Amino acid sequence: MIIIRDTREKIGRWEFCDARVIDTKLESGDYSIKGLEDYVCIERKKSTAEMATNLGSDIKRFTRELERMSKIPVSYIICEFTITDLLQFPKGSHLSPKQMAEVKINGKYMVKLLDSFLSKYGVQVIYAGNRENAIEHAEEIFRSVIELKG
């Protein structure tokens, strides 16, 4: 299996044990399988602060991403944090005091907004809790797609 990692994916890039990873620009998501880019995509969210940016100041860009993902049958957002972490945002987000003062969004609102987007666009979310679990979930999704598609 060859996994494609979007070239814009820079910090904390995932590596996979049983797959070769190549860096290529993806139209949707951060990860896919070579030859199945129109069938499977995974968007990685590394922190609650990133999610807050996506649902706050970058909401138009994030909505366009979800619209593109909605056309892909197997599409996931995999978070390297728990839903509890998101609900408690900005607590535990490691934002600087200056950044904390600028936060205009809270965790409960983000969960409600994200749930409405996921319902509208049909994208599934996995709150994996940490990076290692997130990678395991992605590998499991990719293996099941390969089994299904042959």
Side-chain angles (χ1 to χ4, degrees):
M1 166 172 42
I2 299 173
I3 294 175
I4 297 174
R5 178 176 48 215
D6 188 72
T7 52
R8 294 163 289 194
E9 183 78 345
K10 300 292 183 199
I11 299 171
R13 301 171 349 154
W14 291 347
E15 296 294 336
F16 299 89
C17 295
D18 298 327
R20 193 171 119 220
V21 178
I22 60 172
D23 294 311
T24 303
K25 184 178 181 290
L26 288 169
E27 294 302 315
S28 298
D30 296 315
Y31 296 88
S32 189
I33 299 171
K34 185 169 174 66
L36 296 173
E37 298 90 337
D38 293 334
Y39 186 77
V40 60
C41 80
I42 294 176
E43 173 75 15
R44 175 183 75 116
K45 295 297 170 206
K46 66 181 175 292
S47 68
T48 57
E50 179 184 7
M51 186 65 82
T53 300
N54 289 157
L55 295 172
S57 60
D58 280 352
I59 195 161
K60 287 181 182 178
R61 185 198 61 76
F62 186 62
T63 302
R64 286 191 304 270
E65 177 74 12
L66 290 173
E67 287 171 356
R68 286 190 304 273
M69 290 175 72
S70 73
K71 296 175 176 81
I72 298 172
V74 179
S75 56
Y76 286 87
I77 296 172
I78 300 183
C79 305
E80 294 181 2
F81 50 86
T82 66
I83 192 168
T84 301
D85 295 332
L86 190 58
L87 284 165
Q88 293 176 351
F89 181 84
K91 179 183 172 191
S93 64
H94 307 295
L95 295 175
S96 71
K98 182 179 185 271
Q99 290 170 312
M100 283 285 244
E102 296 172 0
V103 169
K104 305 273 192 269
I105 193 169
N106 69 37
K108 290 179 183 175
Y109 177 74
M110 283 196 293
V111 169
K112 183 178 178 181
L113 187 58
L114 189 57
D115 284 348
S116 72
F117 281 155
L118 298 174
S119 168
K120 179 178 180 178
Y121 296 110
V123 176
Q124 299 180 65
V125 67
I126 296 172
Y127 295 98
N130 61 47
R131 174 184 164 80
E132 293 76 24
N133 288 345
I135 292 169
E136 286 180 26
H137 281 286
E139 288 176 330
E140 185 177 310
I141 291 165
F142 290 148
R143 278 194 302 273
S144 66
V145 166
I146 291 295
E147 286 177 20
L148 181 67
K149 296 302 259 180

